[in-house]
Amino acid sequence: MKTPNFPVPLLQPLKKRSGSNLQLAATVGQSVLEQQRRLVHLVHVTARKISEMFLEIRLLQQRLMKGVAEFLGNDHCIIDAASLSLVQDCACVFETVSSSLRCEGLQNVDKACQQVLEEYDRLSASLISTGEASRETMHYEDKVANLEQQAVSGDKLHRNIGKLEQAKGVLNINNSTCQELMSSFEEKRTVDLRKTLHAMLSCYSKMVSAWGSAMQPVADQFLVEFEVGSCVEVVGLQKAKELNGQVVVVESIVEAEGRCVVIAANGEQKAIRFENLRPTGSSASAPLACLEE
C-alpha cells in the first residue's frame, strides 16, 4: 500500500514570501515527524522492557530449578511422585524455552529503533534549522519592504538587501538538505514502522506462542490434578486432623478461593485448600471406587 501524501506540501519552492512558506512547511513537517517519532520511541521502550523482562524470567527459572535440584538432592522423600513428575516436566519446559527467552529478535528491534530515531533526530534538527532560516529571511524581507515603502535609499537599504540575500542563501542550503531528508522520510515511513512496530509485535507474539505451546501440556497436567469426580487424599490438615490420610472425592472446584469441595466416605462435605489435597491417580470415571477401598 502506497504511503499517503501529507495533507499540505512540507517543502515549497521559494516565492516572494519564501520565508513564510518554508516556515509553515517546516512546522507541518515537524508535527508529522514528531507523531511517528513518538510511536517509534514507544516501540523502542516497549521492546527493551519486554526483552529485559523475559531475560529476567529466564534467569529466575534457572535459579529456581537449580534450587529445587539442590533441595531434592538432600530431601527428595518429602514430595510425592505426582508432584515430582510435574516439577521435572516444568524443568524440561524451562530448558526448552530458554533459548527463545534470550530475545535476540527483540534486541534487533531495539537496534532498529535506535537507528530510525537517529535518522528522525537528524531530520528534526534540519527542520528546526530551516524554520530558523525562514524566520531570518522573513525578518529581512519585511525590513527591506518597509525601507522601500518609506523611500529610504543609500547604505541602509543596500545593507539590508545584502543581509536578505545572505539569509536566502542560507535558507536555500537548509531547504535543500531538509528536502532530501524529508523525501527519504516520506519514502521510508512504512518501512520504518515495519522494522520497528511490526517486527516488535511479530517477535513478541512468537515468543509468547512458543512459550505457551511448550507449557500447555504441563498446564494441562496441573488442571487435571483436581477434576470433579477424581479421588484425592487429604494431607496436612491442622484443625480437622481426623481427615488426614482419608481418600475423598472432588465434588466441585472453587478456583477463586483455592479450594475443592470434597465428599468424605461418610458423605460429609468439606471445603479443603488445594495444598491439603494430594491426587491419587484414580480415574474420575469411577469416583465411588476410591471411597470403598
Side-chain angles (χ1 to χ4, degrees), residues 35-45 112-114 116-117 120 192-193 196-197:
Q35 291 178 31
Q36 187 149 333
R37 192 202 68 80
R38 283 199 300 267
L39 177 58
V40 174
H41 175 71
L42 181 59
V43 172
H44 187 206
V45 172
C113 288
Q114 290 185 54
V116 170
L117 289 172
Y120 289 179
D192 286 347
L193 288 182
T196 55
L197 175 63

Side-chain angles (χ1 to χ4, degrees), residues 14 17 92 111 131 135 140 182 207 233 247 259 278:
L14 295 178
R17 291 285 291 174
C92 291
K111 294 177 183 177
R135 288 189 290 274
Y140 285 109
M182 183 57 75
M207 288 172 61
E233 180 185 357
V247 176
R259 296 175 184 270
R278 182 163 56 195

Side-chain angles (χ1 to χ4, degrees), residues 11-13 126 174-184:
L11 297 169
Q12 304 173 13
S126 180
N174 288 346
N175 178 43
S176 177
T177 301
C178 192
Q179 196 166 31
E180 182 179 342
L181 292 173
M182 183 57 75
S183 295
S184 176

Side-chain angles (χ1 to χ4, degrees), residues 5-236:
N5 293 326
F6 293 111
V8 297
L10 293 178
L11 297 169
Q12 304 173 13
L14 295 178
K15 298 179 182 178
K16 184 176 180 181
R17 291 285 291 174
S18 54
S20 177
N21 291 331
L22 287 177
Q23 185 179 8
L24 173 62
T27 301
V28 174
Q30 189 74 40
S31 175
V32 174
L33 172 65
E34 181 58 24
Q35 291 178 31
Q36 187 149 333
R37 192 202 68 80
R38 283 199 300 267
L39 177 58
V40 174
H41 175 71
L42 181 59
V43 172
H44 187 206
V45 172
T46 303
R48 180 166 292 184
K49 292 293 185 182
I50 290 176
S51 179
E52 291 172 353
M53 178 187 70
F54 273 104
L55 289 173
E56 180 66 16
I57 289 174
R58 178 171 176 263
L59 180 60
L60 289 172
Q61 289 178 168
Q62 291 173 342
R63 288 176 177 173
L64 174 62
M65 288 300 108
K66 182 179 179 181
V68 169
E70 291 175 352
F71 173 78
L72 294 179
N74 296 320
D75 194 2
H76 67 277
C77 296
I78 197 171
I79 188 169
D80 59 272
S83 295
L84 178 60
S85 177
L86 286 171
V87 170
Q88 291 171 334
D89 289 343
C90 285
C92 291
V93 171
F94 290 168
E95 182 63 28
T96 299
V97 301
S98 179
S99 59
S100 66
L101 296 183
R102 290 194 179 96
C103 307
E104 285 92 347
L106 287 177
Q107 290 169 4
N108 290 334
V109 172
D110 186 307
K111 294 177 183 177
C113 288
Q114 290 185 54
Q115 177 188 354
V116 170
L117 289 172
E118 287 172 0
E119 293 174 359
Y120 289 179
D121 286 343
R122 286 194 292 272
L123 174 55
S124 179
S126 180
L127 286 166
I128 291 172
S129 297
T130 300
E132 291 174 348
S134 297
R135 288 189 290 274
E136 182 79 1
T137 301
M138 288 171 59
H139 169 73
Y140 285 109
E141 284 178 338
D142 291 339
K143 198 164 186 179
V144 169
N146 288 334
L147 290 173
E148 289 176 340
Q149 187 176 10
Q150 296 170 13
V152 175
S153 60
D155 292 343
K156 187 173 184 179
L157 177 60
H158 290 305
R159 185 170 61 252
N160 281 280
I161 290 175
K163 289 182 178 180
L164 173 59
E165 293 304 317
Q166 183 179 3
K168 283 184 176 181
V170 172
L171 180 57
N172 276 321
I173 293 172
N174 288 346
N175 178 43
S176 177
T177 301
C178 192
Q179 196 166 31
E180 182 179 342
L181 292 173
M182 183 57 75
S183 295
S184 176
F185 170 67
E186 288 183 290
E187 292 170 0
K188 294 171 57 180
R189 288 186 74 195
T190 299
V191 174
D192 286 347
L193 288 182
R194 284 193 63 83
K195 70 180 181 181
T196 55
L197 175 63
H198 182 276
M200 187 273 288
L201 293 175
S202 175
C203 290
Y204 180 53
S205 60
K206 289 174 183 176
M207 288 172 61
V208 173
S209 176
W211 197 11
S213 297
M215 287 298 298
Q216 190 61 55
V218 180
D220 290 341
Q221 292 181 59
F222 278 108
L223 286 172
V224 300
E225 272 195 308
F226 304 119
E227 288 186 302
V228 173
S230 63
C231 300
V232 293
E233 180 185 357
V234 180
V235 295

